[in-house]
Amino acid sequence: MALDLDGYARIDAVALAARVRSDEVSAREVAELAVSVMERLNPQLNAVVLADVERALAAAAQVDRSAPLAGVPFLVKDVDVFVAEWPTTFSSRYFADAAPRSDSEIVRRWRDAGLVLLGKTNTPEFAGEFVTEPALRGATLNPWNPAVTVGGSSGGAAAAVASGMVPAAHGTDVGGSIRVPAACCGLFGLKPTRGLNPIGPHYPELGAGLDCEHVLTRTVRDSAAFLDATSGPEPGGWYHVRRSVPSYLDALSMTLPRLRIACVAGAPGGAKLDPEIASALESAAALLERLGHDVVPSAFPQQLPALDEMVPLWMMDVALEIRRRAAAIGRRPERDELEPLTWVVLERCEGLGALEYLEARLRAHETSVTMARHVQSFDLIMTPSLAALPPAVGQIDARAEDFDYDRWSRDSYGFAPFSEIFNVTGQPAASLPLGMSKTGLPIGIQLAARPGEDHVLLALSARLEAESGWTERHPPIWAGHG
């Protein structure tokens, strides 16, 4: 049976690949549908910043139909991960004409899994914000409501998946950059256990171990299938984390024991929780209890460091990338080639000594130990994904001439205070689109499991997906609307 646009918009990656393997539809036909949706919707959303249509269609015609994700159209975020045919610009004017680098290991694994790489998605400069409004390419808009943020830093990926351009897209997460846009756009967004997916070979780690690479999806099983395709140690990698089960996709059907879940409504740093989000958290707790689990009110440890204390861990990566670029092209950036936030990053890093950087890494380790001891009697932790509903486009602005870092930091962490702690601890954490606001915006609920127990998190998320029916909710700007 031929696949039309409505069918394409409703089907997930696992089902698409199954149709390609059974020869019900060709990978090229699927790619052509994805391109048609992208060409129709991207002018409204600005999610895709590089489209390599001819190369994608040629690759689709050569796809190995036996591959696990054969013929699935896919988009790569324009930061940190390198595709041999395309430049990686980090959404920065200073890198706008950067030469391509060889495939990252995770890209090689995506190709081996049968994915058809269509292009690249928008991100804030150096993936440094919880919104996606870079000066280089402009703001990505939210398909649920273009007036509010799509989230960040994987905002282009989130808009592309939520609108139905592709069933899954690459995201990076150093402080919530998969989970925040997933919450803003009604998607499932998993940050895996630290080191489970490869980072290299161009980097040994990113964000001093805070960063994880994975995908944003509409269904839990797609996230699990991608983890099957990419997880596991890489040659020369600093982290040698092996998968906890033979197949994360197969583990979705596992029988879960009665889980003890800590429900944490209080944000690190004391950010105020929106009443609608608090209500969604209560509803999620009630749903978990109906599924037979124990939900216990809890809180984060009081002695956790301020979120801002972890900032040097990701700032140093940005400063080093700019330094290496300057050495390669023989000049430092001009003032208008970097955004105000990035200039602050450079100034702070220039004043940061090696011992101070190591002190920040030690604080991160101490935080992990504190958290592990505090929640050792729980199987999972549940929090809101965000403290506030998505703010208006332009409200959190790192590009203004009068940029004030302290104000920007307060606004950013007031919006998204719940995610970064799990980058510090290395735990797997995911945003699940379990709620909806009165104004029709998705509300995400975050679940975090013990390190290495991604399969437990995914299996429980699959149960919650089945109960909530979130895959049947679609934004106003969506491929299936015609």
Side-chain angles (χ1 to χ4, degrees):
M1 181 183 295
L3 190 66
D4 60 14
L5 280 175
D6 183 71
Y8 171 75
R10 294 180 184 278
I11 200 168
D12 69 357
V14 170
L16 264 178
R19 291 199 180 188
V20 171
R21 281 196 302 274
S22 66
D23 208 21
E24 291 180 46
V25 63
S26 72
R28 183 181 174 95
E29 288 172 319
V30 173
E32 288 171 345
L33 286 169
V35 169
S36 68
V37 173
M38 188 170 64
E39 291 177 344
R40 177 162 60 90
L41 297 185
N42 197 56
Q44 301 176 58
L45 299 174
N46 192 33
V48 180
V49 295
L50 183 155
D52 195 350
V53 174
E54 289 187 11
R55 196 189 307 271
L57 294 177
Q62 302 297 319
V63 159
D64 176 4
R65 291 215 321 265
S66 68
L69 293 169
V72 173
F74 190 67
L75 293 163
V76 180
K77 185 177 177 181
D78 191 25
V79 70
D80 295 346
V81 160
F82 301 97
V83 178
E85 296 87 356
W86 307 329
T88 296
T89 74
F90 302 89
S91 275
S92 173
R93 289 170 174 159
Y94 188 47
F95 287 76
D97 61 350
R101 306 184 202 179
S102 60
D103 278 354
S104 294
E105 174 65 17
I106 199 168
V107 173
R108 186 190 66 78
R109 295 182 187 188
W110 286 332
R111 292 190 199 269
D112 287 348
L115 296 178
V116 175
L117 307 186
L118 293 180
K120 288 199 157 190
T121 58
N122 204 9
T123 177
E125 188 170 65
F126 296 104
E129 293 199 80
F130 291 136
V131 299
T132 301
E133 302 168 21
L136 178 64
R137 277 125 175 189
T140 294
L141 303 184
N142 193 323
W144 290 91
N145 180 350
V148 304
T149 184
V150 73
S153 63
S154 305
V161 175
S163 65
M165 295 184 201
V166 290
H170 166 230
T172 70
D173 195 314
V174 76
S177 289
I178 287 175
R179 288 159 289 157
V180 170
C184 291
C185 293
L187 301 173
F188 180 73
L190 168 69
K191 178 199 78 69
T193 290
R194 175 168 32 232
L196 184 58
N197 270 340
I199 296 288
H202 298 283
Y203 306 108
E205 65 176 8
L206 288 166
L210 271 64
D211 179 69
C212 293
E213 310 289 321
H214 195 41
V215 293
L216 293 90
T217 60
R218 294 192 292 269
T219 66
V220 175
R221 71 175 186 174
D222 275 2
S223 189
F226 271 82
L227 205 54
D228 280 348
T230 57
S231 60
E234 61 180 310
W238 281 9
Y239 298 95
H240 283 259
V241 180
R242 299 190 181 278
R243 62 181 66 182
S244 54
V245 290
S247 167
Y248 292 101
L249 185 58
D250 291 346
L252 297 184
S253 59
M254 67 183 285
T255 300
L256 287 168
R258 188 180 185 93
L259 299 170
R260 181 174 164 84
I261 302 169
C263 182
V264 179
K272 185 178 179 181
L273 195 61
D274 182 280
E276 286 193 86
I277 294 177
S279 178
L281 184 67
E282 292 175 2
S283 297
L287 174 55
L288 285 166
E289 289 176 336
R290 289 198 301 274
L291 291 174
H293 304 293
D294 296 322
V295 180
V296 182
S298 188
F300 287 115
Q302 291 186 349
Q303 62 269 42
L304 287 181
L307 292 171
D308 217 27
E309 292 186 39
M310 299 297 112
V311 166
L313 301 182
W314 65 262
M315 280 188 171
M316 292 297 282
D317 286 344
V318 175
L320 180 58
E321 196 67 56
I322 292 170
R323 179 179 179 180
R324 295 180 73 179
R325 171 72 171 161
I329 65 175
R331 68 171 182 86
R332 288 177 56 82
E334 301 291 339
R335 195 71 194 179
D336 65 349
E337 289 182 302
L338 299 175
E339 295 179 10
L341 171 60
T342 305
W343 282 113
V344 170
V345 166
L346 289 179
E347 291 162 7
R348 290 195 170 203
C349 288
E350 286 173 358
L352 190 69
L355 291 180
E356 292 166 302
Y357 175 71
L358 289 174
E359 179 70 24
R361 293 195 70 143
L362 182 59
R363 289 288 284 154
H365 169 68
E366 292 169 347
T367 299
S368 298
V369 173
T370 298
M371 276 288 292
R373 290 173 175 168
H374 184 72
V375 299
Q376 61 185 346
S377 65
F378 294 100
D379 299 296
L380 294 106
I381 304 168
M382 178 173 67
T383 77
S385 298
L386 305 170
L389 294 173
V393 172
Q395 185 172 323
I396 300 176
D397 187 2
R399 292 147 300 284
E401 290 185 10
D402 63 344
F403 174 73
D404 180 272
Y405 177 83
D406 292 333
R407 181 182 63 209
W408 171 86
S409 183
R410 286 194 302 271
D411 290 346
S412 297
Y413 286 117
F415 166 48
F418 289 99
S419 53
E420 190 169 306
I421 182 63
F422 299 115
N423 296 82
V424 175
T425 64
Q427 295 170 251
S431 180
L432 289 69
L434 293 177
M436 292 292 291
S437 76
K438 295 176 182 176
T439 57
L441 293 175
I443 295 176
I445 300 298
Q446 181 177 231
L447 288 174
R450 295 184 178 119
E453 295 193 354
D454 304 65
H455 62 290
V456 176
L457 175 54
L458 285 163
L460 181 59
S461 297
R463 306 291 193 283
L464 292 168
E465 176 187 329
E467 290 290 326
S468 70
W470 76 58
T471 58
E472 298 304 313
R473 297 197 296 260
H474 304 292
I477 301 175
W478 179 59
H481 294 319

